[in-house]
Amino acid sequence: MLHALRTRLSSRLLIPGVVALLCASSLPVPAVAADAPVLPAAPAPAHAAAGSVAATDQFIVKFKDSAAAGSALRKESSTAVAREVGVPVSDIRGTAAGARVLRASRSLDTAETEKALAALKADPAVEYAEPDSRMYPAATPNDPLYPQQWALGDASGGMRLPGAWTATKGAGVVVAVVDTGITSHPDLNASVLPGYDMMSDPAYSRDSNGRDANPRDEGDWTAAGMCGDGIPASPSSWHGTQVAGIIAATTNNGMGLAGVAPEAKILPVRALGPCGGYLSDITDGIIWAAGGSIAGLPSNPTPARVINLSLGATQPCSATFQNAVDFAYGTGAAVVAAAGNENMLASSSSPANCQNVISVAAVSRGGYLAPYSNYGSTVDVAAPGGDMTQTSQDGIAVAFNFGTTTPVVSEAYAASEGTSMAAPHASGLAALLMSRLGDLATPANVETRMKSTAKNYSWACGTKGCGSGALDATAALNFQPDRTITGTTPTISGQAVVGNYLSAVVQNWTPSDITYSYQWKRNGTPIPGAQAVGYQLQPADVGTTLTVTVTGSRFFGASVSLTSAPTAAVAPATVTAPYDPVITGQAIVGGTLTANPGVWQPAPVALSYQWLRAGASISGATASTYTVTADDKGKTLAVRVTGTKDAYVSAQRTSASTATVATGAVPAPVQFTDKIGALNDTYTVPSATGVEYLVAGNVVPAGIYAGTGTVSVTSRATAGYALVAGQASSWTFTFSPVVFNDITSASAFHTEIDWLGLKGITEGWTLSDGTRVFRPAEQVNRDQMAAFLFRLAGSPADFVPPAESPFADVPTTHHFYKEISWLAKQGISKGWEEADHSWTFRPASTVNRDQMAAFLYRHYVYLHPDAPGFVPETTSPFADIPVTHNFYKEISWLAKEGISNGWTEEDGSTTFRPAASILRDQMAAFMYRYKVQP
C-alpha cells in the first residue's frame, strides 16, 4: 500500500537556462506496508531461453503436393535432417492444417534446432517448416508491490507488459537516465552501470568538485527562497532513482517492484540538482551518454541505445538541445522526453518540442489523459503517468529514498505522478524493442512500432490529443524475428460479371505479423482507388480482365508483392426489378393511373414506360402516369416498364391488368331527418347517375321514407359504371324515439317537458354524438322566454319584425330578435325605461316566477282579446304575495287557473316565491298547464 507524502517538483525552473523535473508528486512507502500482507510466492513455471529460434525436438513441416504421403521425397527430407543434426528423425502425425509433425529422437539445442530448420527450408519438397516450439505461461513477477503496479498490467491505461516479457526483457540494452543521479537501492543496484556527474557548477552539485565519475544523487532539496522569491522549501525528490526504477527495477527478486525492461541496464547521468539543471550540462550528458566525446571527460564505455529525459522547461527547442538530440539520434539512440505537466500544448515544452524525440504524455489508470499532462500534435504517444487526485493507489509505484536531504540506506518505495513517470515507461518499452529488433533496432523503427501498436481510444484524450495513443507492450513486441516474407500467389473469388464483388484470397503467407495491401488492375493497369481486399465490378470493366496485386509488409524488412492470375473477361449483367410494376389509381374514364416500378438494381437504372390497352400499346402513353380516356371504356389497361443502364443488359417487366374501364359514378348522400317525435322522422334516398341504392338488400327508388330504429342504405354502380374511389357509398343512422335524452319517466315534469318538445316549442340542444338534451335544471333567460311564448302562440307567420329594434340592447341581428320584437308589439313585455329614456329588454337576465306570471297572463290576453278582464280576489291566495304586489293580478290569475299552486310551508300557509328564478322544467310545467289543462 502506498503512503501519502507529497513533494512538488514541477516549480523549480527559476534560473535561466535551467530545466525542471517533470514529476508532479511522490508518496513514500515502506518496502512492505503493514496493511499489505505478503503472500507466499507461487513456483514460477520453467522458461525456455530467449533466442531467435527456440530449442525443440519437434518440427511442423508442410510438404508440397509433389511430395505425396509415403513418397521417397518425404523420406529424403527426414534423412536430410538426421544427417544435419546427427540424430534420427521420424514422422509422428499430421496436423489439422495438413502439415506433418517430425520428431527428433532427443531434444536439440538451439544451434542444432537452427541447423535442422535450415535443412528443411532448403528442401525443394517442403512448402514451409517451423519449430514446434514449446509455449509457457507468462509468469507473474514475485515482487511484493507488483500487484499495485497497474501501469504494467491490463488496466485501460496499463501497458500489458507480461505478454511482452515472453519475447524479451531488454537484455543487452543500455538506457541512460539524464536526471538527478542515482541512489543506492537494493531493487536497482544490480541494473546500474557506472555513469557520470555532468553538473559543472560546484555551488549546485553539492559534491564540491563539479563534473566527476560519481553520478550519486546528492539530494535536490531546497531552502525557502533558494530558487526564487516566494518559492517554498522542499525535500529531495530522488527523481533519478524513481525514473530508473520504473525502467529497470530488478524483477522476480522477491523485493519491491518490477521494471518495464528488467534485464536492461541503467546508465545514470547526473545533470539536475537543486533548482533544476543547466541546459549545457544536460545536453553534454545526452552526447556523452550516446557515446560522444566531451573535452576533458573519459569516453562512455557503455553507450546508451535509449536516453530518458524526464525534465523540461517552457521554451522553444534551442539549437543546443536540438544538436544534442540529433547527435544521439544519429548514433542509433532513441531519445524519450516527457511532454510536461502544465496542462497545455506540448509544443511549448522543451525538449518535448524538439525533433527526433519521442514525446510522451501521461494517462491515468482509466486510460484518460492525466489532468496535469501536456497534450497536442507534438505528443507522439502516451504512457502511464498516474493521477492521484482521488487516491495514491492510482499513482505510479517507484523506487525511492527516505532521506529528506541526503540519501539514506534503505529499501524505500513511493507513489508518484507526472509525465516524468510516463517517459520512463516509454523508455522501458523502447529498450524491449531495441533488444528484440537486434541489428534492425533504430530510433525510427522503435518509434514507428510504438505508434503503430498503441491503443488509440477515441475517448482517452478527447480533442486535446495524445499522439497515437497509450502504449501497448504486448502488441508492440508481437512480431516474428524472421525477416523474410514468403507467400503463395493470391487468387480471386467471385464471378466476373458487372455489379458483382471480387475478393482477393491470400493463403499461406508467413510470418504471421504481415500487413497486406491491395491494388486491383484492369488489363494490367492499376484502377484508381481500388485498394481494398474486395472490388465491385464497374461498367468500365466490361470486356476486360481483372487481376489483384497483394503486397505483404512488415514494420521492418522488405515487402513482397504477388499478382493473381487474370479473371475471365468481365461480362455485363442484367438489370433487375424487385417485382412486376404495380398500378395504383382507379380505372374509370378521367381517372389517373400511376405505375410503381420499385427500385431497380443496380441503382440508378433508367426506366421507360409504355401503357397498354387490351395488350396493345397506346400511342403517346409513355409517362409513369396515364389519364384514362373514353377510348379505354370497356377495356383493361396495363403498363410495361423497361430498365436500361450502361454496360448492363436491359430488362422489361409488365404489370397485371386493371379492372375493365368504366364511367365514374359519384353517389349522392342519403339525408336523415330526426325530429322530435318519431312520427316526424324521415330519410331521403337521392337520385344519382350510374348509382342505385339498397335498403335491406333491396333496390329502392329515390324518395322520402319514414325513419324508425336503425336504417342502413348502401349504393352500388349500375352496368357500365364504377363508383369513384374515396366517395361515401353507405350510410347508417339510428333514429331516437326519445324526445330528450336527459329526461326519463322518473324525471320531474317529464310529461310537460316531452309535450314542449313534441309541440316544437323547444328542441333543446343537440350534442356532438347526435343526442338531444333539455337541461331541466338550467335557468330561463328573457330572450329564451320570448322564443317560448312566440312558438306557444303558433309562431305567427304573418309577423314581420320591424327594421328598427324596439330595444336599445337587442340588435336586429340578435338570435331571437324576431321573437323579442313580437313580444314587444303584442304588449307582452315593454322592457325597462333607462335614465336616458331608452328602452331595454335585458335579454340575458333570468326570468323570475312573478315575471313568468305576467308573461303568461299577457300572452293569454293576446290570444283572447274578447275575453272579459280578470278581476282578482280581494284576498291573496299566497301568503308571500300582498294585494299591493306589482304583479298581484297576474299571480292570482295563475293560481285561479291552476297553473301554479305554489308551495305549502311548514306552518300550513301557501307561498308563491315570486323572486325565485324559473328553471326550464318549471317553465315547461307552467306552459303545459296554461295550454293543456282544462
Side-chain angles (χ1 to χ4, degrees):
M1 167 159 200
L2 304 180
H3 295 278
L5 174 61
R6 292 182 178 272
T7 305
R8 282 284 170 187
L9 302 173
S10 58
S11 60
R12 296 191 174 185
L13 181 58
L14 297 173
I15 301 174
V18 176
V19 180
L21 307 179
L22 293 178
C23 169
S25 61
S26 59
L27 308 175
V29 297
V32 180
D35 54 355
V38 178
L39 301 177
H47 283 70
S52 58
V53 178
T56 185
D57 61 347
Q58 292 188 171
F59 301 88
I60 301 172
V61 180
K62 180 69 181 332
F63 289 99
K64 296 179 180 178
D65 293 340
S66 57
S71 68
L73 291 175
R74 286 201 182 184
K75 293 179 181 179
E76 177 55 30
S77 297
S78 299
T79 302
V81 175
R83 280 198 307 267
E84 192 67 34
V85 296
V87 296
V89 175
S90 57
D91 185 332
I92 62 171
R93 64 180 177 85
T95 70
R100 303 298 303 173
V101 177
L102 306 185
R103 175 182 289 173
S105 60
R106 64 170 173 82
S107 293
L108 308 180
D109 60 23
T110 300
E112 290 172 326
T113 300
E114 290 179 341
K115 286 182 181 180
L117 195 60
L120 288 167
K121 289 183 175 180
D123 191 332
V126 173
E127 185 175 314
Y128 67 85
E130 57 191 18
D132 193 3
S133 55
R134 293 179 181 272
M135 300 292 176
Y136 301 91
T140 300
N142 62 10
D143 306 80
L145 290 178
Y146 176 74
Q148 299 187 50
Q149 290 184 275
W150 59 263
L152 308 185
D154 293 332
S156 295
M159 288 176 58
R160 301 203 309 140
L161 261 304
W165 288 332
T166 62
T168 181
K169 293 183 179 177
V173 179
V174 175
V175 182
V177 177
V178 182
D179 215 289
T180 64
I182 197 79
T183 64
S184 177
H185 196 290
D187 208 9
L188 192 57
N189 290 342
S191 301
V192 177
L193 299 171
Y196 214 84
D197 179 1
M198 285 291 170
M199 296 191 71
S200 57
D201 187 349
Y204 282 93
S205 66
R206 287 188 170 144
D207 59 3
S208 303
N209 59 359
R211 291 180 174 176
D212 58 48
N214 182 9
R216 179 177 182 266
D217 190 338
E218 302 293 342
D220 59 352
W221 60 271
T222 59
M226 178 178 174
C227 298
D229 292 340
I231 304 299
S234 64
S236 292
S237 67
W238 317 118
H239 194 262
T241 299
Q242 294 186 47
V243 171
I246 291 173
I247 297 170
T250 305
T251 302
N252 279 325
N253 61 348
M255 176 188 301
L257 305 170
V260 174
E263 294 180 5
K265 297 298 182 182
I266 296 296
L267 180 71
V269 179
R270 185 174 183 237
L272 303 177
C275 305
Y278 286 104
L279 176 64
S280 56
D281 290 341
I282 294 168
T283 54
D284 279 359
I286 293 171
I287 293 171
W288 183 84
S293 298
I294 304 295
L297 301 185
S299 298
N300 175 15
T302 53
R305 297 304 306 276
V306 181
I307 299 174
N308 187 89
L309 302 176
S310 289
L311 45 80
T314 303
Q315 61 185 40
C317 179
S318 67
T320 300
F321 223 135
Q322 189 62 64
N323 289 338
V325 169
D326 289 346
F327 176 84
Y329 190 87
T331 67
V335 180
V336 180
N341 297 338
E342 293 76 33
N343 185 24
M344 65 181 186
L345 289 171
S347 57
S348 300
S349 181
S350 179
N353 55 10
C354 294
Q355 299 299 310
N356 293 329
V357 302
I358 300 173
S359 175
V360 187
V363 292
S364 66
R365 186 176 197 152
Y368 292 93
L369 183 70
Y372 53 78
S373 178
N374 289 352
Y375 51 83
S377 59
T378 303
V379 172
D380 293 307
V381 291
D387 176 12
M388 298 192 292
T389 304
Q390 302 297 326
T391 173
S392 63
Q393 300 303 307
D394 291 338
I396 303 299
V398 296
F400 200 61
N401 192 287
F402 285 149
T404 56
T405 55
T406 58
V408 298
V409 178
S410 65
E411 179 194 346
Y413 301 91
S416 194
E417 66 176 13
T419 54
S420 273
M421 307 301 106
H425 281 94
S427 292
L429 179 55
L432 296 178
L433 285 167
M434 287 285 187
S435 176
R436 175 78 161 152
L437 288 169
D439 62 349
L440 290 173
T442 66
N445 279 348
V446 167
E447 181 176 354
T448 297
R449 189 63 179 172
M450 292 169 78
K451 288 180 175 180
S452 65
T453 57
K455 298 177 287 188
N456 188 10
Y457 301 132
S458 60
W459 46 262
C461 298
T463 57
K464 289 185 173 181
C466 52
S468 298
L471 294 177
D472 186 332
T474 293
L477 273 295
N478 182 25
F479 60 86
Q480 301 296 324
D482 185 356
R483 304 174 199 170
T484 303
I485 296 175
T486 61
T488 58
T489 301
T491 58
I492 296 176
S493 67
Q495 189 176 7
V497 176
V498 168
N500 285 359
Y501 278 92
L502 303 181
S503 295
V505 179
V506 180
Q507 293 180 320
N508 300 325
W509 286 52
T510 59
S512 61
D513 60 342
I514 298 173
T515 300
Y516 298 98
S517 59
Y518 306 87
Q519 177 60 64
W520 291 87
K521 298 177 181 179
R522 181 188 297 126
N523 286 342
T525 301
I527 303 172
Q531 294 167 325
V533 66
Y535 173 71
Q536 186 176 24
L537 290 164
Q538 305 298 312
D541 298 321
V542 173
T544 69
T545 59
L546 276 290
T547 57
V548 63
T549 297
V550 178
T551 300
S553 305
R554 305 175 72 199
F555 81 97
F556 60 86
S559 299
V560 172
S561 296
L562 295 175
T563 301
S564 71
T567 63
V570 176
T574 302
V575 296
T576 60
Y579 43 75
D580 287 341
V582 175
I583 296 177
T584 57
Q586 195 172 9
I588 57 175
V589 176
T592 299
L593 303 181
T594 300
N596 297 283
V599 179
W600 290 45
Q601 296 296 333
V605 175
L607 301 178
S608 60
Y609 303 85
Q610 177 60 62
W611 290 87
L612 309 173
R613 178 190 298 130
S617 297
I618 303 173
S619 177
T622 56
S624 61
T625 60
Y626 175 69
T627 300
V628 182
T629 69
D631 293 338
D632 302 316
K633 187 172 181 180
K635 302 178 178 66
T636 60
L637 300 174
V639 65
R640 182 173 60 235
V641 180
T642 302
T644 58
K645 185 179 178 72
D646 289 344
Y648 285 80
V649 178
S650 300
Q652 288 185 342
R653 300 288 285 269
T654 302
S655 72
S657 296
T658 65
T660 301
V661 174
T663 301
V666 178
V670 176
Q671 302 294 328
F672 295 91
T673 303
D674 186 10
K675 295 184 177 181
I676 293 179
L679 295 178
N680 298 322
D681 293 340
T682 62
Y683 65 95
T684 302
V685 175
S687 176
T689 302
V691 179
E692 59 186 11
Y693 295 84
L694 300 91
V695 176
N698 300 312
V699 175
V700 295
I704 299 175
Y705 298 87
T708 181
T710 298
V711 176
S712 292
V713 183
T714 59
S715 63
R716 67 186 181 191
T718 58
Y721 290 86
L723 297 183
V724 176
Q727 302 295 320
S729 61
S730 63
W731 302 264
T732 297
F733 187 85
T734 299
F735 292 95
S736 175
V738 178
V739 178
F740 297 109
N741 288 79
D742 59 346
I743 302 300
T744 69
S745 59
S747 301
F749 307 124
H750 65 88
T751 299
E752 292 86 342
I753 294 171
D754 285 351
W755 170 83
L756 209 64
L758 292 171
K759 288 298 183 180
I761 297 172
T762 180
E763 293 184 353
W765 286 269
T766 302
L767 304 182
S768 59
D769 62 359
T771 59
R772 268 191 306 270
V773 293
F774 180 73
R775 299 176 183 170
E778 288 191 5
Q779 296 176 337
V780 179
N781 290 348
R782 288 173 57 81
D783 54 358
Q784 296 171 339
M785 193 69 234
F788 289 144
L789 293 173
F790 180 77
R791 296 166 191 163
L792 200 62
S795 300
D798 58 348
F799 174 70
V800 178
E804 184 177 349
S805 176
F807 299 110
D809 58 348
V810 179
T812 57
T813 56
H814 190 282
H815 185 63
F816 293 128
Y817 173 67
K818 181 178 182 180
E819 291 84 346
I820 294 170
S821 59
W822 174 83
L823 211 67
K825 183 177 181 181
Q826 308 309 327
I828 298 173
S829 178
K830 294 181 178 179
W832 286 268
E833 185 177 8
E834 304 295 341
D836 60 357
H837 301 296
S838 65
W839 289 84
T840 59
F841 184 70
R842 303 178 187 175
S845 296
T846 58
V847 178
N848 292 347
R849 287 172 59 82
D850 55 359
Q851 296 170 341
M852 183 69 177
F855 280 137
L856 289 180
Y857 178 76
R858 296 168 190 164
H859 191 274
Y860 174 80
V861 171
Y862 158 72
L863 292 178
H864 304 87
D866 298 330
F870 173 70
V871 178
E873 299 289 340
T874 57
T875 302
S876 175
F878 300 109
D880 57 348
I881 302 297
V883 295
T884 57
H885 188 283
N886 194 33
F887 295 124
Y888 172 68
K889 176 180 179 180
E890 291 84 347
I891 293 170
S892 58
W893 171 82
L894 211 65
K896 182 180 180 183
E897 296 296 327
I899 298 173
S900 176
N901 296 321
W903 284 269
T904 301
E905 304 295 344
E906 291 182 359
D907 60 359
S909 63
T910 300
T911 58
F912 183 70
R913 303 179 186 175
S917 296
I918 284 287
L919 302 184
R920 286 173 59 83
D921 58 353
Q922 296 170 342
M923 177 270 301
F926 280 145
M927 290 188 172
Y928 177 80
R929 296 166 190 165
Y930 164 58
K931 291 294 290 182
V932 177
Q933 287 185 173

